[in-house]
Amino acid sequence: MSVSCGVEWMVVLGCVRWAWKRCTYIGSDDSATWPIATVDEFEPIPRLCRAILAVYEPDLRCPKYSPTSGDCLNPDWVVKRANYEQTGGHAPPYLIFVDHDNREIVLAIRGLNLVKESDYKVLLDNRLGMQKFDGGYVHKGLLKSAVWLLKRESETLKRLWEENGKEYKMVFAGHSLGSGVASLLTIIVANHGNELGGLPRSLLRCYAVAPARCMSLNLAVKYADIIYSVVLQDDFLPRTPTPLEDIFKSVFCLPCLLFLVCLRDTFIPEGRKLKDPRRLYAPGRMYHIVERKFCRCGRFTPEVRTAIPVDGRFEHIVLSCNATSDHAIVWIEREAQKALENLKELNTETVTTPPKVQKLNRKLTLEKEHKDALERAVSLNIPHAETSYEESSGNNGEGTSEHTSLETCKDDAEDSSKTENPSCKNAKTNWDDVVEKLFKKNESGKMLLKRDVSDSIQCS
């Protein structure tokens, strides 16, 4: 009897301990050991949040979501806008504009619309481990959306980049559902910059705001030098390993789902999570905006922490009443702007005019962080992790990468018998072919990644 009572008390104490740890776990614990971001690297984020907000606006000259601080998007710089009717449900609405002040060409993509069936179709077009791409796994529906968007707008982006002297940065930004599309679009362009006029990797950037978990861990680390994810405190989406299609099937009972996922993941060892190549993660380098503390009332002056985490990468669900409100782009823009102003104040207090040498040192530090993260991924035996920094350093300005540069043209199957190697400079890129050339089918019909496609790709 005494033994059974002792066992019961141990079980009860264990459950109480688990409940205490889960209920007292807050969003800031995920980034407690991360360093503070610098002004230069965080400066574009509030501005690009306002660019994403502009996609929601019916009239850019009379904005509904006017920011409390910072400049609104200049309507005269907008090149193209696409709504749901124009995208036909293949992708969320988006906006293309040229920011001459910051020398950027920006493609901004809006987030999920809860009343649009087409957005749910994009989310539901996926199963765990269904889509392999670039040595890892990605969300199939988001990849198809990214390819469709490139087919529609690659000529426009290429023209804008060439008209501005090939010196402007190419920036893709998205919120929620749009963040997944923007991230996968960036991976494709990073490997095939030659299809956009020779766009180098150094001029390519992606900002995923409230990011969806859309790629496997090896890809998330591999592209951390060009993809930046922004998370506000307790946001549920980057932390939820449940597939996107399951999350939004239960969107009206989301608290129940988050609690059950939290309970389930408690009993999954960390090593098992890392060894699963199909498990999807939020992409790239993480910027965590922290504004609340445990047992403190109200919001505090937000601070921004940044890192390229490998293990413990936003794996813990936060049981918080702010888990859904922190996902809103309006709140993220406000808190990001406050965090930027706070960073500027801290910067002026410590250093007045930093010399160029310090900026160079900071750049080298970012590169070293990326290299260390790649090495950490290899040391943890993460499937398909790159063994060296050079392998993931992208194209060299001429459109080359770990994949051979692709020169694809229309009707290559029909014309291949007519000529062996004709010029295809004026042909329009078929982005379906660009993606499909990375794969081959085995005897069972399964799509497998081609590590060397140079023998199988010809220009017609």
Side-chain angles (χ1 to χ4, degrees):
M1 179 68 70
S2 60
V3 174
S4 61
C5 289
V7 172
E8 290 176 0
W9 272 107
M10 289 180 63
V11 172
V12 170
L13 290 175
C15 292
V16 171
R17 180 178 180 273
W18 173 84
W20 172 256
K21 291 183 67 176
R22 295 311 305 156
C23 292
T24 58
Y25 190 89
I26 57 176
S28 61
D29 292 343
D30 286 317
S31 58
T33 60
W34 297 3
I36 301 298
T38 63
V39 175
D40 290 340
E41 59 183 316
F42 191 74
E43 185 275 331
I45 291 175
R47 169 165 43 85
L48 291 170
C49 286
R50 290 191 287 272
I52 297 172
L53 272 172
V55 187
Y56 293 79
E57 297 285 1
D59 185 359
L60 292 177
R61 299 190 183 277
C62 300
K64 291 170 55 180
Y65 306 101
S66 181
T68 55
S69 59
D71 297 328
C72 293
L73 177 69
N74 188 342
D76 297 329
W77 291 347
V78 175
V79 177
K80 182 180 291 189
R81 294 190 69 181
N83 54 27
Y84 280 105
E85 288 73 22
Q86 293 166 320
T87 61
H90 296 287
Y94 60 89
L95 177 149
I96 300 175
F97 74 98
V98 181
D99 186 348
H100 294 288
D101 290 341
N102 298 284
R103 301 173 66 82
E104 293 174 346
I105 300 168
V106 181
L107 170 60
I109 310 172
R110 68 157 287 163
L112 177 77
N113 189 334
L114 294 176
V115 299
K116 282 294 181 180
E117 183 182 352
S118 59
D119 283 359
Y120 288 100
K121 287 183 179 179
V122 173
L123 287 172
L124 295 174
D125 186 13
N126 188 62
R127 291 194 307 273
L128 190 63
M130 184 179 184
Q131 182 66 67
K132 191 172 183 181
F133 181 72
D134 194 20
Y137 287 91
V138 298
H139 189 284
K140 182 181 180 181
L142 296 178
L143 179 63
K144 288 172 62 177
S145 184
V147 173
W148 181 89
L149 195 52
L150 271 175
K151 287 175 62 178
R152 180 183 173 93
E153 301 299 347
S154 59
E155 293 299 318
T156 301
L157 296 174
K158 179 180 178 181
R159 174 179 58 81
L160 292 174
W161 191 61
E162 291 176 343
E163 287 178 355
N164 290 280
K166 296 187 176 183
E167 295 178 352
Y168 281 27
K169 284 184 179 180
M170 188 74 67
V171 178
F172 303 130
H175 169 247
S176 188
L177 175 67
S179 69
V181 177
S183 299
L184 297 180
L185 192 153
T186 303
I187 291 181
I188 300 172
V189 173
N191 285 291
H192 308 295
N194 59 308
E195 304 292 356
L196 291 182
L199 177 70
R201 186 178 179 124
S202 60
L203 293 181
L204 179 63
R205 291 291 181 272
C206 173
Y207 292 88
V209 182
R213 295 171 72 109
C214 59
M215 62 182 68
S216 54
L217 186 55
N218 64 311
L219 295 180
V221 176
K222 177 179 176 180
Y223 291 97
D225 60 324
I226 57 174
I227 301 179
Y228 305 140
S229 290
V230 183
V231 180
L232 177 59
Q233 187 81 19
D234 300 333
D235 189 358
F236 75 94
L237 191 60
R239 293 180 168 89
T240 310
T242 303
L244 290 177
E245 59 272 18
D246 294 338
I247 292 176
F248 290 100
K249 282 178 185 176
S250 309
V251 70
F252 296 108
C253 192
L254 192 56
C256 302
L257 177 66
L258 294 180
F259 179 79
L260 293 175
V261 171
C262 176
L263 180 64
R264 182 199 65 186
D265 284 358
T266 303
F267 302 100
I268 301 178
E270 183 75 15
R272 182 180 170 186
K273 297 176 184 178
L274 294 175
K275 295 298 188 297
D276 186 0
R278 304 170 303 163
R279 190 178 179 87
L280 302 183
Y281 292 82
R285 169 180 285 276
M286 311 300 297
Y287 288 92
H288 192 199
I289 304 174
V290 177
E291 58 177 1
R292 292 184 296 272
K293 300 179 181 179
F294 182 59
C295 290
R296 303 280 186 90
C297 296
R299 297 172 183 261
F300 294 83
T301 303
E303 66 177 15
V304 184
R305 306 167 184 170
T306 181
I308 309 176
V310 181
D311 45 341
R313 188 184 181 91
F314 284 92
E315 287 284 26
H316 301 289
I317 296 292
V318 178
L319 300 178
S320 166
C321 59
N322 299 294
T324 53
S325 62
D326 284 349
H327 186 69
I329 182 65
V330 175
W331 275 113
I332 296 174
E333 187 275 329
R334 291 178 183 176
E335 299 306 318
Q337 184 62 40
K338 291 179 184 177
L340 177 61
E341 293 171 357
N342 184 47
L343 287 174
K344 289 180 178 179
E345 290 178 3
L346 294 175
N347 190 47
T348 54
E349 289 176 2
T350 55
V351 181
T352 53
T353 53
K356 295 181 179 180
V357 176
Q358 289 190 356
K359 291 185 179 181
L360 180 61
N361 288 339
R362 179 57 182 168
K363 181 180 179 181
L364 294 175
T365 301
L366 292 175
E367 292 175 355
K368 187 177 185 305
E369 285 182 26
H370 188 208
K371 183 177 180 180
D372 291 344
L374 291 167
E375 293 175 351
R376 174 65 174 165
V378 173
S379 67
L380 292 172
N381 296 321
I382 292 173
H384 312 297
E386 298 290 351
T387 56
S388 66
Y389 177 70
E390 286 77 12
E391 289 181 6
S392 63
S393 57
N395 59 53
N396 58 6
E398 298 177 357
T400 59
S401 68
E402 70 168 349
H403 306 296
T404 306
S405 61
L406 304 178
E407 296 178 352
T408 56
C409 302
K410 289 183 177 180
D411 305 323
D412 57 346
E414 297 178 2
D415 297 338
S416 58
S417 58
K418 298 180 182 179
T419 178
E420 229 176 78
N421 203 10
S423 173
C424 62
K425 292 181 179 178
N426 297 324
K428 185 177 179 180
T429 300
N430 188 331
W431 288 96
D432 282 325
D433 291 345
V434 169
V435 174
E436 289 174 1
K437 295 296 185 180
L438 300 176
F439 300 93
K440 62 180 178 181
K441 285 187 177 181
N442 60 9
E443 296 178 355
S444 62
K446 184 178 180 181
M447 300 295 287
L448 299 176
L449 179 71
K450 289 183 180 180
R451 280 293 180 182
D452 185 5
V453 296
S454 58
D455 295 331
S456 62
I457 299 174
Q458 291 184 351
C459 178
S460 320

